[in-house]
Amino acid sequence: MLKVLVLLQLAGRAKYDDLTAARRNERGSVTTEHVLWAVAVIAIVGIVVAAVTTYVQTQAGKIK
């Protein structure tokens, strides 16, 4: 009976270690970070382009 309990405990501990290792796996986090930075840069560039375009069109409308 003791052997069965020891085997069950070892099996449970091995499965627990596998689950915690999978949870700590940060594979792909760098890629996600790069994608988020790329989206942020694209958004900022889009805002700057829109502001410059609006300014140029406004100034062009003032030309007589």
Side-chain angles (χ1 to χ4, degrees), residues 8-63:
L8 286 174
Q9 185 177 7
L10 289 174
R13 183 64 187 182
K15 186 54 105 173
Y16 176 77
D17 288 343
D18 290 344
L19 291 174
T20 56
R23 199 173 344 151
R24 282 183 275 156
N25 186 2
E26 294 182 9
R27 191 173 145 205
S29 64
V30 174
T31 304
T32 304
E33 184 179 352
H34 287 159
V35 168
L36 292 175
W37 276 111
V39 169
V41 168
I42 290 169
I44 291 169
V45 168
I47 291 169
V48 169
V49 167
V52 169
T53 303
T54 303
Y55 176 77
V56 169
Q57 287 179 348
T58 302
Q59 295 302 318
K62 291 181 182 178
I63 297 176

Side-chain angles (χ1 to χ4, degrees), residues 4-5 50 58:
V4 174
L5 291 175
T58 302

